[in-house]
Amino acid sequence: MKAYINVLILFFGLTALSYSQAKNGGSMNMENLPAVVIKSAGDDFSVYLPDRNADPKVRALEDNFIAYDLGKNYEGYETYLVYMEIKGGSLSATYNENGKLITVVENYKNVVLPSKVIYEIYKKFPGWKIVNDKYLYSQKEGDILKKQYNLKIKKGKKSQKLTVHPDGEIINE
């Protein structure tokens, strides 16, 4: 009888413990993740702010760049260029003589557009279709310089070029 009571207490104790775990109910927002420190070059750090674009090919190239090991390749050069290319896109990065990341420039064509961009375009230009898109991203020493989509939209025989921020804000028409 005593063993039976101990088993019941153990069962209820474990059951209560399992329900005490907090349920998140959602996934982590990738846009709020911190910058990636690629490597330490003495007192300086190479900081890369990945965009976490919705397009899997963009994310894959950025992940490959983060995983790239510069090793000792930069030694003996004033600047060192790393260039990675995929179908429809490229990423180029420049390092200084100490191996610190200076600039990153990314350029992609025909990417999966963020839903905010699509929504704003179709809201402001009803009946138009997006026929061509380019995504440009650049940073210098950890500061984002450019992050934009260059779109070409068309309605019948009319066409128009737009520059759009990733949050959907149209920069210029």
Side-chain angles (χ1 to χ4, degrees), residues 102-159:
I102 302 170
T103 61
V104 177
V105 177
E106 298 179 50
N107 187 357
Y108 304 97
K109 294 179 182 177
N110 299 322
V111 295
V112 176
L113 298 172
S115 57
K116 291 179 183 179
V117 171
I118 295 170
Y119 176 76
E120 289 298 321
I121 295 299
Y122 288 136
K123 185 172 102 176
K124 292 183 180 178
F125 298 95
W128 291 71
K129 291 186 178 185
I130 300 171
V131 293
N132 197 356
D133 65 81
K134 291 182 182 178
Y135 174 64
L136 304 171
Y137 177 83
S138 63
Q139 76 172 47
K140 184 174 183 176
E141 296 181 1
D143 296 324
I144 297 173
L145 302 176
K146 184 182 283 187
K147 187 176 181 179
Q148 68 188 34
Y149 292 90
N150 294 335
L151 307 174
K152 182 178 180 183
I153 59 174
K154 195 171 188 177
K155 182 177 183 179
K157 293 186 179 182
K158 294 181 189 177
S159 67

Side-chain angles (χ1 to χ4, degrees), residues 24-58:
N24 189 355
S27 61
M28 182 182 284
N29 188 358
M30 295 296 284
E31 295 172 4
N32 296 328
L33 293 178
V36 177
V37 176
I38 296 177
K39 70 174 268 182
S40 173
D43 293 335
D44 295 329
F45 291 94
S46 294
V47 178
Y48 173 61
L49 301 166
D51 178 48
R52 293 299 166 211
N53 189 297
D55 193 320
K57 70 180 179 185
V58 174

